[in-house]
Amino acid sequence: MLLLSACAPQSKVAVSPPPPPAVAPVAVPAPPPPVPGDVPAPQLPVPGDVEAYKARVASEIWLRNAEVYADPVPDMLKSVVVLEITIDRAGNPVGIAVYRSNGFKHLETRALESIARAAPFPAPAPGVLEGPGCVTFLETFLFRADERFQLRSLVMPALAAARR
């Protein structure tokens, strides 16, 4: 089950695409080169849709946690934990909850803690944000017998590519 939601319900209205522009697009000059200084460059938002952002967050979780595995997902898993994650416009998790689990509380805790270890995340692009400036999605943690995990958002694209 895939659930995508926002911080507040939004009514959906079908909008037809705008007509093509009447004039040719104008080239926008490149911004001036940055001036070196003591202030770090701001983190750019991650472009794309919610699925692309979800995969980016999953990559950050995978990179910042030692309890992961890169092997193929086994046929039998010890536990599957689904978290509902809400991230604000700055990339900070503002809500994390267990959405579904099969009862291994210590693995639920490990999944929750992995989010905290990986935060903050890259800022979502404005097109990903809904409601009052946040994005909410589900992420599935796939725990094998040795209690290491893989993230469904990273596994599913690999499986799809292998089937082509």
Side-chain angles (χ1 to χ4, degrees):
M1 169 191 254
L2 176 66
L3 172 70
L4 302 176
S5 65
C7 295
Q10 300 290 313
S11 60
K12 301 293 181 189
V13 178
V15 178
S16 54
V23 294
V26 177
V28 176
V35 178
D38 294 335
V39 180
Q43 192 175 32
L44 296 176
V46 176
D49 59 11
V50 173
E51 287 302 313
Y53 184 70
K54 182 177 168 179
R56 178 69 187 273
V57 168
S59 295
E60 295 292 325
I61 295 167
W62 196 85
L63 289 170
R64 295 184 187 152
N65 284 278
E67 302 89 11
V68 297
Y69 64 91
D71 306 327
V73 176
D75 291 335
M76 292 293 294
L77 292 167
K78 178 173 184 170
S79 182
V80 175
V81 177
V82 181
L83 299 183
E84 182 178 65
I85 304 166
T86 302
I87 298 176
D88 69 12
R89 69 179 65 250
N92 300 305
V94 293
I96 310 166
V98 173
Y99 183 79
R100 181 172 291 149
S101 174
N102 60 342
F104 288 95
K105 297 294 182 193
H106 69 288
L107 296 179
E108 292 173 13
T109 300
R110 183 172 297 163
L112 291 164
E113 290 173 349
S114 73
I115 304 294
R117 268 192 298 280
F121 300 103
V128 173
L129 298 170
E130 293 186 22
C134 61
V135 59
T136 300
F137 56 86
L138 298 179
E139 183 56 77
T140 304
F141 289 70
L142 308 169
F143 287 93
R144 64 185 188 187
D146 64 0
E147 300 187 351
R148 291 182 170 274
F149 67 86
Q150 183 57 274
L151 297 149
R152 185 175 181 271
S153 294
L154 299 177
V155 172
M156 296 311 290
L159 289 176
R163 291 183 180 159
R164 290 183 195 161

Coordinates of all heavy atoms in Angstrom, one line a residue, residues 3 17 21 26 29 38 45 66 69 73-75 86 88 98 101 103 114 147 150 156 161:
L3 N 1.0 5.3 0.5 CA 0.2 6.4 1.0 C 1.0 7.6 0.9 O 2.1 7.7 1.4 CB -0.2 6.1 2.5 CG -0.9 7.3 3.2 CD1 -2.3 7.5 2.6 CD2 -1.0 7.0 4.7
P17 N -3.4 21.9 -19.1 CA -2.1 22.6 -19.2 C -2.3 23.9 -19.9 O -3.2 24.1 -20.7 CB -1.3 21.6 -20.0 CG -2.2 20.7 -20.6 CD -3.5 20.7 -19.8
P21 N 3.5 29.3 -25.0 CA 3.7 30.8 -25.1 C 3.6 31.3 -26.5 O 4.0 30.7 -27.4 CB 5.1 30.9 -24.5 CG 5.8 29.6 -24.6 CD 4.7 28.6 -24.6
V26 N 13.0 33.4 -23.7 CA 14.2 34.3 -23.7 C 15.2 33.6 -22.8 O 14.9 33.1 -21.8 CB 13.8 35.7 -23.1 CG1 15.0 36.6 -22.9 CG2 12.7 36.3 -23.9
P29 N 20.3 34.9 -18.4 CA 21.8 34.9 -18.2 C 22.1 34.1 -16.9 O 21.4 34.0 -16.0 CB 22.2 36.4 -18.0 CG 20.9 37.1 -17.6 CD 19.8 36.3 -18.2
D38 N 32.8 33.2 4.4 CA 32.7 32.3 5.5 C 31.3 31.6 5.6 O 31.1 30.7 6.4 CB 32.9 33.0 6.8 CG 34.4 33.5 6.9 OD1 35.2 32.9 6.3 OD2 34.6 34.5 7.6
P45 N 17.2 22.5 -2.9 CA 16.1 21.5 -2.8 C 16.4 20.4 -3.8 O 17.0 20.5 -4.8 CB 14.9 22.3 -3.2 CG 15.3 23.7 -3.2 CD 16.8 23.8 -3.3
A66 N 24.7 1.8 10.0 CA 25.6 0.6 9.9 C 24.8 -0.7 9.8 O 25.3 -1.7 9.4 CB 26.6 0.6 11.0
Y69 N 21.9 -3.7 4.8 CA 22.6 -4.7 4.0 C 22.3 -4.4 2.5 O 21.3 -3.7 2.2 CB 22.1 -6.1 4.3 CG 20.6 -6.4 4.0 CD1 20.2 -6.9 2.8 CD2 19.7 -6.2 5.0 CE1 18.8 -7.2 2.5 CE2 18.3 -6.5 4.8 CZ 17.9 -7.0 3.5 OH 16.6 -7.2 3.3
V73 N 17.3 -9.0 -1.3 CA 16.3 -9.3 -0.2 C 16.0 -10.8 -0.1 O 15.7 -11.4 -1.1 CB 15.1 -8.4 -0.4 CG1 14.0 -8.7 0.7 CG2 15.4 -7.0 -0.5
P74 N 16.1 -11.4 1.1 CA 15.8 -12.8 1.2 C 14.4 -13.1 1.0 O 13.5 -12.2 1.1 CB 16.3 -13.1 2.6 CG 16.3 -11.9 3.3 CD 16.5 -10.8 2.3
D75 N 14.1 -14.3 0.6 CA 12.7 -14.7 0.4 C 11.9 -14.6 1.7 O 10.7 -14.2 1.7 CB 12.6 -16.2 -0.1 CG 13.1 -16.3 -1.5 OD1 13.1 -15.3 -2.2 OD2 13.6 -17.4 -1.8
T86 N 7.1 12.5 8.1 CA 6.7 13.8 7.6 C 8.0 14.7 7.7 O 8.6 14.7 8.8 CB 5.6 14.4 8.5 OG1 4.4 13.6 8.3 CG2 5.2 15.8 8.0
D88 N 9.7 18.6 6.9 CA 9.3 20.0 6.6 C 10.1 20.5 5.4 O 11.0 19.8 4.9 CB 9.5 20.8 7.8 CG 10.9 21.1 8.3 OD1 11.9 20.7 7.6 OD2 11.1 21.6 9.4
V98 N 5.2 4.6 13.6 CA 5.0 3.3 13.1 C 3.6 3.2 12.5 O 2.6 3.4 13.2 CB 5.3 2.2 14.2 CG1 5.0 0.8 13.6 CG2 6.7 2.3 14.7
S101 N 3.5 -2.9 11.6 CA 4.6 -3.7 12.0 C 4.1 -5.1 12.4 O 2.9 -5.3 12.5 CB 5.3 -3.1 13.3 OG 6.2 -3.9 13.8
G103 N 5.3 -6.6 15.1 CA 5.4 -6.8 16.6 C 6.8 -6.8 17.2 O 6.9 -6.9 18.4
S114 N 16.9 5.1 13.0 CA 17.7 5.3 11.8 C 17.3 6.6 11.1 O 18.1 7.2 10.5 CB 17.5 4.1 10.9 OG 16.2 4.1 10.3
E147 N 18.8 -9.1 11.6 CA 18.2 -7.8 12.0 C 18.9 -6.6 11.3 O 18.7 -5.5 11.8 CB 18.2 -7.7 13.5 CG 17.4 -8.8 14.2 CD 17.2 -8.6 15.7 OE1 17.9 -7.8 16.3 OE2 16.4 -9.4 16.2
Q150 N 17.0 -3.3 4.9 CA 17.1 -2.6 3.6 C 15.8 -1.8 3.5 O 14.8 -2.0 4.2 CB 17.2 -3.7 2.5 CG 17.3 -3.1 1.1 CD 18.5 -2.2 0.9 OE1 18.4 -1.0 1.1 NE2 19.6 -2.8 0.4
M156 N 13.0 -1.7 -4.7 CA 12.0 -1.8 -5.7 C 12.5 -1.4 -7.1 O 12.4 -2.0 -8.1 CB 10.7 -1.1 -5.4 CG 10.0 -1.8 -4.2 SD 9.8 -3.6 -4.3 CE 8.7 -3.7 -5.6
A161 N 14.4 -3.0 -12.5 CA 15.4 -2.9 -13.6 C 15.9 -4.3 -13.9 O 16.2 -4.6 -15.1 CB 16.6 -2.1 -13.1

